Amino acid sequence: MVLDSRVKTPDSLHTSLRTAIKQALTLESWVSESRERVASETFIRRHTQFNSVAEFCTACPCDDDTIGGVQRLSTDKRDAFVARTTDFEAWTEMKQTAATEDLVTLQNV
């Protein structure tokens, strides 16, 4: 009889840690280069006034209702929007926190 206790074996833990390290090393470039996905729907619901990424983008005062449109907005306007509608003072802070939470959630180590 096999019990599914979800105990990590040394091999599965090693694989999870290697994946987490690789993701952590690429975190900065992922955060700075992301054009399509910056935050999960859960992150947006938890840390903003919006229920989805689409709502966040639509409410943003940019020309294109996408994450790319948000990122093309001037830094001052984007940061003002973020400060007014989220738990963060600036877009960069929001993106870094979203990426970090994603990393921790995905790895669950």
Side-chain angles (χ1 to χ4, degrees):
M1 179 168 105
V2 176
L3 298 176
D4 184 14
S5 61
R6 298 196 180 260
V7 173
K8 292 194 178 230
T9 65
D11 288 339
S12 67
L13 182 60
H14 179 72
T15 300
S16 292
L17 287 173
R18 286 184 62 189
T19 301
I21 290 167
K22 284 180 185 176
Q23 288 179 336
L25 292 173
T26 61
L27 181 62
E28 185 61 37
S29 63
W30 181 85
V31 167
S32 63
E33 296 173 6
S34 179
R35 288 281 179 207
E36 296 174 10
R37 184 181 173 282
V38 170
S40 68
E41 300 290 324
T42 302
F43 180 88
I44 292 294
R45 283 190 298 274
R46 188 180 309 130
H47 296 286
T48 76
Q49 299 175 0
F50 309 102
N51 290 315
S52 69
V53 173
E55 282 183 25
F56 175 84
C57 293
T58 300
C60 184
C62 56
D63 295 333
D64 184 16
D65 294 344
T66 65
I67 290 296
V70 173
Q71 292 191 123
R72 285 188 295 275
L73 195 61
S74 75
T75 301
D76 291 341
K77 287 183 181 179
R78 187 177 53 224
D79 286 348
F81 172 73
V82 168
R84 190 173 60 253
T85 62
T86 76
D87 295 342
F88 307 98
E89 294 299 316
W91 175 248
T92 302
E93 177 189 7
M94 180 178 156
K95 285 186 1 173
Q96 289 173 339
T97 303
T100 303
E101 281 190 19
D102 246 6
L103 178 64
V104 170
T105 301
L106 290 174
Q107 294 311 308
N108 197 21
V109 177

